[in-house]
Amino acid sequence: MIDIWTEKYRPRKLSDIVGQDEIIRKLQSFVRHRELPHLIFAGPAGVGKTTAALSVAIELFGEDWRDNFLELNASNERGIDVIRDNVKDFARIMPSNGLGFKIIFLDEADQLTPEAQAALRRTMELYSSATRFIFSCNYSSQIIPPIQSRTVVMRFRPIKPEDMKKRIEVIAKQENFTIDDDAMAAITEISEGDMRKALNILQTIKSSGEMTASRIYEISGMANPKQYKSLLSKALSGLFDDARETLDSMMIEQGLSGIDIVRGIHSVVRKELISPRQKLQIIMALGESEFRIVEGSSDTIQLDALMARLAYIGQEFN
Ligand SMILES: Nc1ncnc2c1ncn2[C@@H]1O[C@H](COP(=O)(O)OP(=O)(O)OP(=O)(O)O)[C@@H](O)[C@H]1O
Ligand SMILES: [Mg+2]
């Protein structure tokens, strides 16, 4: 059986969680004082919300953490009644630890309707002497005010490249591979602060060959930013046929879709040193193309039209 790295390398200690420094410090302080308020963990995917909740449980309850930690998923456990029954059953058995409370982790809490959240709030009150709730969600604004006011909200951020690097280096050492700066930059760029995504890409690359930046872009269905830069500069200098040729190779050989390409150009434009006015025009053109493609226009015609528009924009600023 192969181990999935996201699980194999899920930190079990708060100190192994990278980034989120302030949150980790607060959680460590709760653990030291052996107390815990109700919490909301808000933030994007793959940044350590579930991991932090598990680590808190492991650090508070030690070996017996499983008896003292209930994980529910608001979008799976269909309906508030099921959640309520689960909470009731779990809360009825007194905590087997010396702390006097157990933890209920409710994932995707923002998927519950406001009515369901109101019912949950009453359940929370009912069992609050022996339970602490940790709600996980993308946006805390989706949680009703009466729950928010009873909890401490902790905002998780996308993992910064340098923090991601720290964790990846630990894993690289254990898995015996090396990763050069270009490959590391490719991983952090593609994963956009999502550690789960980063680890999944790394594992795929590792199991199938060399760890190079170009393979990382290829496997994640993304063209190299260098390619987008060259496409953009060809189009802006009016080399329509050259640009068209690059487009063909990206679409046919690398299997990228029209949308992939528009979004790829967008990500390099934002970082390129182009005059602000020209940048605005390019971005408006990209927005237009994206909209049309999403609405069902032909990829080829829209990309050709985009190349043509870029040629005009290039001319205007020469
Ligand atoms: N801050 C972090 N430090 C170290 N590893 C991390 C961190 N965040 C995520 N990971 C890795 O990514 C995996 C997924 O993280 P986790 O389950 O905590 O994400 P999440 O924030 O709960 O995301 P979701 O909203 O999708 O549930 C973990 O198993 C771990 O391997
Ligand atoms: Mg999670």
Side-chain angles (χ1 to χ4, degrees), residues 170-183:
V170 170
I171 294 171
K173 207 164 171 193
Q174 303 219 28
E175 293 290 331
N176 284 312
F177 66 84
T178 51
I179 173 162
D180 64 24
D181 291 349
D182 283 351

Side-chain angles (χ1 to χ4, degrees), residues 296-307:
S297 291
S298 132
D299 279 12
T300 346
I301 296 180
Q302 286 309 320
L303 287 173
D304 278 3
L306 176 63
M307 295 301 119

Side-chain angles (χ1 to χ4, degrees), residues 149-206:
S149 67
R150 286 168 172 77
T151 53
V152 175
V153 180
M154 298 191 160
R155 294 182 203 289
F156 285 66
R157 308 278 170 212
I159 315 282
K160 293 197 197 87
E162 65 266 27
D163 290 327
M164 206 173 249
K165 191 170 166 209
K166 266 191 261 168
R167 186 70 187 155
I168 291 174
E169 276 163 356
V170 170
I171 294 171
K173 207 164 171 193
Q174 303 219 28
E175 293 290 331
N176 284 312
F177 66 84
T178 51
I179 173 162
D180 64 24
D181 291 349
D182 283 351
M184 187 68 87
I187 286 281
T188 54
E189 190 199 343
I190 293 168
S191 52
E192 299 180 305
D194 178 340
M195 195 72 168
R196 182 189 293 116
K197 193 165 169 187
L199 296 187
N200 284 334
I201 297 172
L202 273 179
Q203 187 169 18
T204 309
I205 304 282
K206 166 75 179 0

Side-chain angles (χ1 to χ4, degrees), residues 128-302:
S128 70
S129 61
T131 55
R132 297 295 180 274
F133 280 82
I134 303 179
F135 301 99
S136 171
C137 60
N138 292 131
Y139 303 102
S140 64
S141 57
Q142 303 293 315
I143 305 291
I144 58 170
I147 291 188
Q148 284 195 43
S149 67
R150 286 168 172 77
T151 53
V152 175
V153 180
M154 298 191 160
R155 294 182 203 289
F156 285 66
R157 308 278 170 212
I159 315 282
K160 293 197 197 87
E162 65 266 27
D163 290 327
M164 206 173 249
K165 191 170 166 209
K166 266 191 261 168
R167 186 70 187 155
I168 291 174
E169 276 163 356
V170 170
I171 294 171
K173 207 164 171 193
Q174 303 219 28
E175 293 290 331
N176 284 312
F177 66 84
T178 51
I179 173 162
D180 64 24
D181 291 349
D182 283 351
M184 187 68 87
I187 286 281
T188 54
E189 190 199 343
I190 293 168
S191 52
E192 299 180 305
D194 178 340
M195 195 72 168
R196 182 189 293 116
K197 193 165 169 187
L199 296 187
N200 284 334
I201 297 172
L202 273 179
Q203 187 169 18
T204 309
I205 304 282
K206 166 75 179 0
S207 66
S208 64
E210 253 182 303
M211 189 77 70
T212 61
S214 62
R215 289 197 61 238
I216 291 170
Y217 283 116
E218 197 183 312
I219 287 197
S220 41
M222 280 186 49
N224 207 314
K226 280 190 197 126
Q227 233 175 345
Y228 284 116
K229 277 184 207 161
S230 116
L231 176 64
L232 183 66
S233 84
K234 283 174 190 162
L236 287 172
S237 21
L239 300 169
F240 184 84
D241 292 335
D242 286 0
R244 190 61 250 182
E245 210 169 288
T246 308
L247 273 182
D248 281 344
S249 100
M250 289 166 94
M251 293 178 82
I252 297 162
E253 283 154 36
Q254 300 174 40
L256 297 172
S257 70
I259 276 296
D260 293 336
I261 291 174
V262 172
R263 291 181 182 158
I265 299 176
H266 180 243
S267 73
V268 306
V269 168
R270 291 188 48 170
K271 292 176 210 135
E272 280 299 87
L273 286 171
I274 311 176
S275 75
R277 280 194 50 225
Q278 186 169 17
K279 205 178 259 192
L280 288 183
Q281 297 228 7
I282 298 173
I283 289 172
M284 285 195 285
L286 290 169
E288 185 84 359
S289 308
E290 189 201 33
F291 178 74
R292 292 190 187 182
I293 294 175
V294 169
E295 289 289 297
S297 291
S298 132
D299 279 12
T300 346
I301 296 180
Q302 286 309 320

Side-chain angles (χ1 to χ4, degrees), residues 6 9-11 17-18 45-51 159 195-196 199:
T6 52
Y9 295 107
R10 186 195 285 282
I17 296 176
V18 297
V47 297
K49 300 184 298 298
T50 300
T51 305
I159 315 282
M195 195 72 168
R196 182 189 293 116
L199 296 187

Side-chain angles (χ1 to χ4, degrees), residues 30-45:
F30 293 140
V31 168
R32 259 199 317 277
H33 294 96
R34 315 206 29 89
E35 61 180 28
L36 198 70
H38 297 301
L39 298 165
I40 294 181
F41 288 173

